Structures are given as structure tokens and as C-alpha cells.
Amino acid sequence: MSNFDFSGVPESLVNQVIELLGTLGITPSGTVRESNDVWCVFNDWQARDQRANGEGTFEEGRFSIGTTFGGRWYCCKKRER
């Protein structure tokens, strides 16, 4: 899948596009999802590793999840605050 360039597009519109693509089973590479405990990025293990280094969770807090439609979510645990 090619990368989508969302530079210069309002964030609210980007979120709508990502949501629409998700309903079609398409997730743009570089898409980020996070919760209070976990940070994930789609198809970008290098960004995940960089984030894990910053969070201090590189050694024991990284994982990935494959998707039905191809690609992987690369995730890391967030540092406890």
C-alpha cells in the first residue's frame, strides 16, 4: 500500500478520511492510535521503536499485531506516569 500524504489537510478531515478508509479495510501507513497505556502506529516499526526508546519501554514493552487485510500495527507500552 502506498503512503498517503496528509500534510496541510485539517486534522478533522484527516480523521474522517482515516475512519472511512478503516470501514473499507484500508489503513494508511503511519496512522497512529493510542490509549492511556499503549501507543501504536500502522506499518512503521521504526517509529514504534523510536517512541519505545522515548518511553523507556524498548526492552520489554514492544509488540506488533497483524491485520486481516495486510500490514501490521507496531505498538509499545507507554511509561507509567
Side-chain angles (χ1 to χ4, degrees):
M1 171 186 303
S2 62
N3 290 331
F4 294 87
D5 182 6
F6 290 121
S7 57
V9 179
E11 185 177 350
S12 62
L13 181 56
V14 170
N15 290 335
Q16 290 175 12
V17 169
I18 290 171
E19 186 176 325
L20 175 61
L21 291 171
T23 63
L24 299 173
I26 301 168
T27 304
S29 293
T31 299
V32 172
R33 294 285 184 254
E34 64 184 305
S35 68
N36 291 333
D37 301 318
V38 177
W39 184 89
C40 298
V41 61
F42 192 70
N43 282 342
D44 191 347
W45 63 267
Q46 292 169 317
R48 183 270 319 264
D49 287 357
Q50 182 177 7
R51 178 67 183 247
N53 269 324
E55 293 287 345
T57 60
F58 188 85
E59 292 299 321
E60 296 185 18
R62 296 177 301 149
F63 60 96
S64 65
I65 303 166
T67 65
T68 304
F69 299 102
R72 295 191 75 78
W73 284 99
Y74 292 94
C75 306
C76 69
K77 293 179 182 177
K78 292 182 175 180
R79 178 181 312 145
E80 291 186 29
R81 308 244 188 268

